[in-house]
Amino acid sequence: MKELNKFPSDFVWGTATASYQVEGAFNDEGRGLSIWDTFSKTKGNILDAQNGDTACNQYYLYKDDVKLMKKLGINSYRFSISWSRIYPEGFGEINKPGIMYYKNLCDELLEAGIEPCVTLYHWDLPQALEDKGGWRNRDTAKHFAEYAETVFRELGSKVKMWITLNEPFCSAMLGHATGEHAPGMKNQSTAYKVLHNLYLAHGLTVKRFREGNYNGQIGISLNLDRPRPSSDSQSDQRAAEIGEIKGSRLYMDPLFGRGYPQWLSQNDPDFSPEIEEGDMQIIAQKLDFIGLNYYTEQAAVLRDDNNWEAQITEIEKTEMNWDIVPEGLTRLLVWISENYGNPEIYITENGAAFKDTLSDDNTRCKDHDRINYLQSHFSACKNALEQSVNLKGYYLWSFIDNFEWAYGYTKRFGVTYVDFNTQERIPKDSFYFYRDYIAENREK
Ligand code: FCB
């Protein structure tokens, strides 16, 4: 297939982070605790018992970080807002310094010619709300919409791109079915209920955004999982179909007014979300774009009639042990376009962890694996554009090494290296590669 020579001149090039992973200052200037503070301080949850108390200290170092971003040449920075910095109790009294922090960050970015892209929820639910039932409680959806509207009001003049939820799959399933993420529960049926309440929160928020005529575009970031069949055999094809339903259609269909896939209520005894009249209409608010987070694609085999599992492959892997499959990104983008009316899509995360080490004099990190990973995924984007996918931008995960959830600081995803003892930032070779790629591959 012929590759596009360049990306369109208005293509958005960015990097992404999330509040708990980079901010630190967990107890400063009125921030309330979140479920990630609690979860990471509970023994056994995080590798090496690490937590995000300090992380990259971006709360205090944001000016230096924005300077680096300017050097990188990106035109957008995706970051998330810590709900408990704005509402320490989840609702009620606003914490003014929290608002000020994000206003200052936005101003700093805008001055550097970088558009802020704000994620409203990247997994850090205020602990005060968890104590009232968290996402298992429908009221949390209402509190979220309230919080979101406060942010629209306060930052609306500075922000043109909004993301309601990041990866609801993770909040629901990893948080409530496998227990790998906060709040650490292990009940599949609860996880589906949580997903419904998260989607309700999303819908209520988009509705308020429209009704309030706020600035900019609004969407959601999904980590769709759509495995390919491991072989041509009927059983592997069936496995891939089940994978598509559970990992992609479950998340896409309700947003496009198609409800939850029927297959789930027919075949999964755990699937019984509490749906009230009107909920599905609220969830299906028209979106301006779909955000796609893509890291890997798996090969499916059947485990039993209703379940698939990933087959271990010979494919080259990242430090997360994830197969490197750039063609999977093209396949997924084309699938979204063809099945959901060619919506605008932003890749809101893509990147890789590798074993990064510094040169002897601590000035350089030759992360050529990451460069190869990025380059092949940029080509996958070009292939998708060739096939008429409405792809508008790309955010690299991540701008900086950070707190990688249950893996603590053991996995480095950044194009900027962080010495977590000194907070020194050292641009990796991939930083310069990304800078040059953006400059050279943009149509004038
Ligand atoms: C995604 C998360 C992000 C980061 C990357 C590696 O699932 O959204 O915060 O941890 O994985």
Side-chain angles (χ1 to χ4, degrees):
M1 166 120 6
K2 193 181 129 266
E3 251 195 26
L4 275 186
N5 281 332
K6 305 256 179 197
F7 283 84
S9 56
D10 62 350
F11 196 81
V12 173
W13 291 103
T15 57
T17 62
S19 45
Y20 191 68
Q21 296 181 276
V22 300
E23 281 179 4
F26 84 103
N27 206 13
D28 296 5
E29 298 197 308
R31 178 183 178 273
L33 296 182
S34 86
I35 54 175
W36 270 94
D37 294 290
T38 313
F39 184 76
S40 59
K41 287 173 188 170
T42 308
K43 214 170 159 237
N45 285 340
I46 312 289
L47 221 65
D48 300 341
Q50 290 158 334
N51 60 54
D53 281 5
T54 311
C56 310
N57 210 16
Q58 193 168 80
Y59 192 76
Y60 294 110
L61 299 178
Y62 71 93
K63 288 190 178 171
D64 294 337
D65 282 350
V66 172
K67 273 194 199 110
L68 260 183
M69 288 178 212
K70 195 172 177 186
K71 279 198 188 143
L72 186 54
I74 50 173
N75 45 30
S76 184
Y77 177 48
R78 175 179 175 228
F79 60 92
S80 81
I81 293 194
S82 153
W83 183 347
S84 61
R85 259 192 219 293
I86 308 297
Y87 284 110
E89 296 296 316
F91 59 93
E93 191 117 354
I94 297 182
N95 176 43
K96 295 248 168 63
I99 302 263
M100 266 324 283
Y101 169 67
Y102 294 108
K103 279 193 175 163
N104 291 339
L105 172 60
C106 286
D107 285 341
E108 199 72 17
L109 287 165
L110 290 167
E111 215 158 287
I114 301 169
E115 291 287 341
C117 164
V118 169
T119 310
L120 290 160
Y121 187 70
H122 204 123
W123 310 349
D124 43 359
L125 184 75
Q127 181 61 41
L129 289 181
E130 181 62 31
D131 297 341
K132 297 187 165 69
W135 286 110
R136 293 155 328 277
N137 182 346
R138 234 181 121 84
D139 288 347
T140 299
K142 294 186 189 134
H143 295 314
F144 180 75
E146 194 67 45
Y147 145 71
E149 184 147 26
T150 299
V151 178
F152 295 149
R153 219 173 32 237
E154 296 287 345
L155 300 183
S157 61
K158 305 177 194 292
V159 179
K160 295 204 197 92
M161 186 143 161
W162 301 96
I163 292 165
T164 55
L165 307 176
N166 179 69
E167 301 187 358
F169 159 84
C170 293
S171 311
M173 307 304 163
L174 302 187
H176 297 82
T178 68
E180 292 158 78
H181 280 185
M185 292 186 180
K186 293 186 182 170
N187 184 307
Q188 182 61 58
S189 154
T190 304
Y192 283 134
K193 292 194 171 102
V194 162
L195 179 65
H196 183 69
N197 288 337
L198 281 159
Y199 264 37
L200 203 57
H202 159 83
L204 289 171
T205 299
V206 178
K207 203 159 172 277
R208 288 218 190 181
F209 183 77
R210 302 290 183 216
E211 286 167 2
N213 270 318
Y214 294 103
N215 194 16
Q217 296 187 293
I218 193 160
I220 187 170
S221 285
L222 303 175
N223 56 328
L224 301 179
D225 192 6
R226 186 170 171 269
R228 63 183 179 282
S230 197
S231 75
D232 290 341
S233 78
Q234 255 193 355
S235 133
D236 290 352
Q237 307 247 6
R238 184 76 205 116
E241 275 168 30
I242 294 173
E244 178 181 297
I245 293 169
K246 290 187 174 178
S248 286
R249 288 185 38 212
L250 169 59
Y251 301 93
M252 287 293 280
D253 285 6
L255 300 176
F256 286 82
R258 301 177 195 170
Y260 296 115
Q262 263 191 5
W263 185 92
L264 282 167
S265 26
Q266 288 162 353
N267 295 286
D268 189 340
D270 287 325
F271 190 80
S272 55
E274 285 151 15
I275 305 176
E276 290 184 11
E277 174 130 27
D279 282 5
M280 297 319 287
Q281 282 86 330
I282 292 173
I283 290 171
Q285 301 297 309
K286 191 173 164 354
L287 297 179
D288 298 312
F289 64 88
I290 291 293
L292 176 66
N293 295 354
Y294 179 86
Y295 291 92
T296 188
E297 183 195 74
Q298 308 189 78
V301 292
L302 264 191
R303 188 188 320 148
D304 56 48
D305 280 355
N306 295 326
N307 292 291
W308 72 282
E309 62 190 23
Q311 194 180 52
I312 296 170
T313 70
E314 297 292 308
I315 296 173
E316 209 184 316
K317 296 179 176 36
T318 69
E319 262 297 283
M320 299 295 283
N321 215 18
W322 296 343
D323 289 1
I324 303 175
V325 194
E327 320 80 60
L329 174 56
T330 314
R331 280 194 276 274
L332 194 49
L333 287 166
V334 170
W335 179 78
I336 298 172
S337 291
E338 287 181 348
N339 288 279
Y340 297 93
N342 200 19
E344 288 197 0
I345 306 175
Y346 288 84
I347 293 170
T348 41
E349 286 180 26
N350 174 245
F354 288 105
K355 232 188 205 86
D356 296 322
T357 47
L358 289 180
S359 58
D360 290 344
D361 60 356
N362 287 345
T363 59
R364 200 169 155 192
C365 174
K366 299 185 188 176
D367 58 338
H368 291 175
D369 291 337
R370 182 170 292 102
I371 292 176
N372 290 337
Y373 181 98
L374 294 174
Q375 190 146 35
S376 61
H377 286 75
F378 297 157
S379 294
C381 292
K382 282 184 176 173
N383 285 341
L385 283 165
E386 276 284 292
Q387 296 178 55
S388 304
V389 170
N390 206 354
L391 181 63
K392 297 301 218 183
Y394 174 97
Y395 290 82
L396 192 163
W397 187 275
S398 176
F399 167 64
I400 197 166
D401 293 339
N402 58 53
F403 177 77
E404 180 46 38
W405 309 113
Y407 295 92
Y409 297 96
T410 64
K411 303 287 182 229
R412 293 179 176 271
F413 273 89
V415 291
T416 307
Y417 186 95
V418 178
D419 178 334
F420 288 103
N421 296 316
T422 62
Q423 290 296 343
E424 198 189 340
R425 274 80 163 130
I426 299 151
K428 302 178 190 175
D429 282 7
S430 59
F431 179 102
Y432 300 108
F433 162 76
Y434 191 40
R435 179 195 65 186
D436 294 346
Y437 191 94
I438 296 173
E440 286 161 15
N441 286 274
R442 190 182 275 150
E443 267 171 10
K444 298 283 176 272

